[in-house]
């Protein structure tokens, strides 16, 4: 990654944010993409999250501090989260919405990404589809439309949020899969006050 004080530069010499490895070493072999999502604060620091359980806890210039294990208070693993999207609410709380198997997980950080509280599925009790807890999901298992029809998708992934001018979440977008890789993008109105 390169960074600058202004969009037109000058830009810094590139620095390694993440090598693509699942081990805490920049020289470890690459194991996949990151789905990196980040928030840059007013002071230029950065916090972020990516696929699996890695978070960028702090960044100033070329120095990164990594944090591991995004789990709930009674969990020991994190379900292998994917596709995070981050935003900061009006109170300064950092939120992350993720794809967590078929459901959606939510995590919050009151200290700019140093520690996170997990509100997704309980991943300590089971793995894969057995770890689903729809009562803790960001989205329901069934999509209900205004014309009274509904769909029960094979899965929903790649959550993103539409944020209003007042900083409130207006809508959630997700990729929806209806078996055999038939997919579409769904925009779903929310009723959030965050």
């Amino acid at each position: 990654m390169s960074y600058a004080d202004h969009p037109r530069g000058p830009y810094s010499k590139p620095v390694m944010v993440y090598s693509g490895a699942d081990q805490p070493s920049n020289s470890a072999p690459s194991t996949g993409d990151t789905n990196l999502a980040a928030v840059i604060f007013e002071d230029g620091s950065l916090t972020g999250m990516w696929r699996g359980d890695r978070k960028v806890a702090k960044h100033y210039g070329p120095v990164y501090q990594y944090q591991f294990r995004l789990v709930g208070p009674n969990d020991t693993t994190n379900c292998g989260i994917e596709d995070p999207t981050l935003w900061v609410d009006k109170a300064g709380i950092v939120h992350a919405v993720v794809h967590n198997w078929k459901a959606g997980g939510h995590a919050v950080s009151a200290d700019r990404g140093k520690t996170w509280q997990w509100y997704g599925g309980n991943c300590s009790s089971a793995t894969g589809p057995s770890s689903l807890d729809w009562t803790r999901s960001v989205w329901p298992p069934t999509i209900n439309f205004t014309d009274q029809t509904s769909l029960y998708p094979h899965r929903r992934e790649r959550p993103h949020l539409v944020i209003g001018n007042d900083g409130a979440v207006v809508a959630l977008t997700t990729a929806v899969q209806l078996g055999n890789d038939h997919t579409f993008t769904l925009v779903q109105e929310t009723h959030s006050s965050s």
Side-chain angles (χ1 to χ4, degrees):
M1 178 185 85
S2 293
Y3 57 92
D5 291 331
H6 191 275
R8 293 186 184 172
Y11 284 89
S12 69
K13 180 179 174 185
V15 294
M16 179 67 71
V17 175
Y18 175 61
S19 69
D22 285 337
Q23 296 83 33
S25 165
N26 284 339
S27 61
S30 179
T31 56
D33 61 69
T34 62
N35 292 99
L36 176 64
V39 171
I40 300 172
F41 297 103
E42 294 276 333
D43 65 2
S45 64
L46 174 145
T47 190
M49 181 180 296
W50 59 80
R51 179 186 299 240
D53 61 2
R54 300 259 190 327
K55 276 81 50 210
V56 181
K58 192 176 197 182
H59 166 253
Y60 287 98
V63 179
Y64 292 83
Q65 294 178 356
Y66 296 100
Q67 182 184 46
F68 303 89
R69 294 284 168 220
L70 171 64
V71 297
N74 300 314
D75 300 340
T76 56
T77 60
N78 76 353
C79 300
I81 63 163
E82 294 185 42
D83 308 330
T85 189
L86 274 64
W87 84 98
V88 181
D89 70 17
K90 293 179 273 189
I93 306 296
V94 182
H95 295 259
V97 172
V98 301
H99 156 228
N100 175 217
W101 189 246
K102 291 183 178 186
H106 179 213
V108 296
S109 174
D111 56 12
R112 296 173 58 151
K114 293 181 185 119
T115 59
W116 291 86
Q117 177 67 49
W118 173 243
Y119 296 100
N122 182 348
C123 304
S124 298
S125 62
T127 59
S130 300
S131 72
L132 285 177
D133 181 352
W134 287 109
T135 65
R136 291 169 57 172
S137 179
V138 174
W139 52 78
T142 303
I143 301 168
N144 295 310
F145 296 97
T146 56
D147 68 357
Q148 308 307 310
T149 61
S150 60
L151 291 173
Y152 186 82
H154 174 68
R155 66 188 319 128
R156 290 175 71 175
E157 301 183 1
R158 307 211 182 274
H160 293 283
L161 297 166
V162 178
I163 309 293
N165 290 335
D166 63 354
V169 176
V170 176
L172 168 73
T173 70
T174 55
V176 177
Q177 181 183 3
L178 300 175
N180 293 338
D181 224 18
H182 174 129
T183 62
F184 63 92
T185 300
L186 176 70
V187 179
Q188 194 169 19
E189 182 180 17
T190 64
H191 302 285
S192 171
S193 60
S194 298

